[in-house]
Amino acid sequence: VLVSLICSPPQNYPLYIRSVPTENELKFHYTVHTSLDVVDEKISAMGKALVDQRELYLGLLYPTEDYKVYGYVTNSKVKFVMVVDSSNTALRDNEIRSMFRKLHNSYTDIMCNPFYNPGDRIHSRAFDNMVNSMMMQVC
Amino acid sequence: VLFQIMELCGATRLGYFGRSQFYIALKLVAVAQSGLPLRVESLNTVKDLPLPRFVVSKNEQESRHTALYSSDADNPASYSGVIPPPPGRIQVKKGSVSHDAVQQRTSTDQQESTSPVVSPQQSPPTSPHTWRKHNRHPSGGNNERPLAGPGPFWAPFSEAQPGSSTSSDPIWSGHSPPPHQENWVSFADTPPTSALLAMHPASVQDQTTVRTVASATTTNEIRRQSSSYDDPWKITDEQRQYYVNQFKTIQPDLNGFIPGSAAKEFFTKSKLPILELSHIWELSDFDKDGALTLDEFCAAFHLVVARKNGYDLPEKLPESLMPKLIDLEDSTEVGEQTGEVGYSSSPAEAPPSKSPSMPSLNQTWPELNQSSEQWETFSERSSSSQTLTQFDSNIAPADPDTAIVHPVPIRMTPSKIHMQEMELKRTGSDHANPTSPLLVKPPDLPEESKMSSSVKFTAGNTVTDGYSSSDSYASDPEQIGSTVTRQRSQSGTSPDNTAPPPPPPRPHPSHSRSSSLDMNRSFSVTPGQQQAGVVAYPPAVPPRPQPSQGAGPHVHRPVDAEGLIAHTSTSPQQIPEQPNFADFSQFEAFAVSGVSKEEEEEIETHSEVLQVEKPSDSASSLRGAKADGRVEDKAPANVPTSAGKGTTPLAPPPKPIRRRLKSEDELRPEAEEHTQKTGVIAAVLASQPSIPRSVGKDKKAIQASIRRNKETNTVLARLNSELQQQLKDVLEERISLEVQLEQLRPFSHL
């Protein structure tokens, strides 16, 4: 199970959310939204090297629920959140990082599009394809 | 029927005659109620008719397509393989078309209007309208033709060949904007002249006749044929010229860029929805630089035109539209166009055209017909080069590591770089982006090579060093890879980084060593944290007993990490070197003993520092954490291993360490020796810091640094051997002292 969400600052409203493969979307949506608070916490905590890209590994949020939430923040405070099942123990940290990098790269491509207004929901098909392919790799 | 339709399709592909063929095929399809062939045909037609016309219905597309085909057919050379069959068909069709033209027109009209089967040709009514709009030809019958569908098209086309060809020629020539308008015109010509819908054979005959007429017509047709050959997305010459003119109005320099904002305004005028414009931009901005080069602009314009004509946007940029070399012949664009056209024509064809037109067409063609095969070959021929690039571009984004490394990522795959290179050749404007990845790669490579060279240098030092350095080294490649992957532009280098992971680890260990030397030097050169770190090391080392060595590294690591983090070295190598330097100095202090452990610790810290210091590495912190974990793992592992190995250097080191603790005096001499050697090493390291700096810039410098590193390696090896010798001496002394002590004890009792 994999859910990804992209939220843009400053109000953190979501630009893009996609979950696969189960349809338990509402729960995951709730999870990612709550994890945004944790992400914000970490951003404020990291005083130095704010300019650097950093990956925020939030770890297990709920002891009962067996899934992990990963966070990633870009220089422009755009947050990427990914929820994965802990049953996917094969998912290593490196893979998560690479997935975030891909997300970031695709997001940058979208930004380059002059027809895209920052803050709009992301409808790019190329982006969707990339996210789908990424999720298929995991699941 | 399908087969016939396929034949027709093949015929249509050939050219204008193909157009009539197309009509025939469409008609057949309508008759056969098999949408697939028609779709294919429409695809072909779409490809051939990438006119900005508003082709709502497939019929129109097909008609245009067939028109193009017919023009293509006129050019036997281009369609060598395909032409033969179609002519035959055309002949057949023509006859039938002529016969049934009238009938079929009506029937096709009915069919078209009512034929949902013929998905490609959806709105016959609209097609006529579009025909009218686009059709300069005065014949109003053209409009009707589209309605008639394939049949009408075929019929008029074939019939009108004599007349249409002539009329179409002027129309074509006079029609500078999108060539498919001309196609429309030519198409229109044929409809009026020939209402050959009739049978499929008739259409074939018509086609042949049309073709013959077309051949007699003009080179323009031929040109158009070649351009529209099997490539719905191909940009014909007229189209391209139009696009270029438009480009000039925005950007006088043909080799320059059109900035995103200007392009946005321009394309907004086309009144397409923003979402579609956004998608078009995504497709056409090949190098993702936010600006459009001439080729990109033409591709985007072409897509807009196609979209306005009812063609769906493809998911991927067709090969013919890929901004390859600036080629007015549209050879490169053909592929893209075909892809796009195929896709765009999908609205009518929907499912079939989902996949890139070329591939889908290729797939369907073989199924459909021999002509289709020929058609494919033709398209393959035209788009072969572009196919490669298209794949590359497609691959680039998909390539995670390379892209991340890149792609930016997606993009730094070798193919992408190749494409970029091609783009470079084409336009200087495009070079910015393509070159950037390329340029980025070289710096990365030199850095890597430099590090590897330095690693080698250190590798030669000692086994223990290599032991620990390998750990740190392993972390370095990871860091390198991560840093590289971080930047899209550098994505291409990531493969390089990841490719030689095995070699780097080995050299890295040595590198860490050498880096430690450099650290010494850098410490001497750069005061402050480094030195503090170094200073911190020596005191920390002595108090650290063997068991606590595991804890020591941790302590050191934070210290080093902090020092390193605060330190802004010019090169990441220097930063790692600093910790290594500190480690190394510690090593010196401890002589041989504990070197392995300390080195490991140092290296761990070093790796940590490396990880932390990697500026571009967002995951550096994580990696640092990882490295810490690794280091920690290594430290405990080292301790047991060292404990386990009695004869290994690890064993002596613990003893000497303990010994030092016991006897400071002995330690001091050793320390002095170490310091002396450290001084030597520092001197060597001092030379090394410069090495990392210069590496990134000059390969020669890298080689020079490699040589220096090797020299340092030898020096360090020598030092190591000397220290080992000292260690042995010290141990002997210790044994002798212990013996004396035992001897004295009995005496004391006495």
Side-chain angles (χ1 to χ4, degrees), chain B residues 71-72 74-75 215 218-227:
Chain B
S71 62
D72 291 341
D74 290 341
N75 192 1
S215 60
T218 58
T219 55
N220 287 344
E221 294 180 14
I222 294 175
R223 203 156 27 95
R224 234 171 283 111
Q225 289 172 0
S226 55
S227 63

Side-chain angles (χ1 to χ4, degrees), chain B residues 9-33:
Chain B
C9 294
T12 56
R13 280 187 290 184
L14 289 184
Y16 284 99
F17 293 97
R19 190 174 55 177
S20 61
Q21 291 176 356
F22 180 81
Y23 295 145
I24 296 169
L26 293 178
K27 198 176 129 192
L28 293 177
V29 172
V31 176
Q33 292 193 353

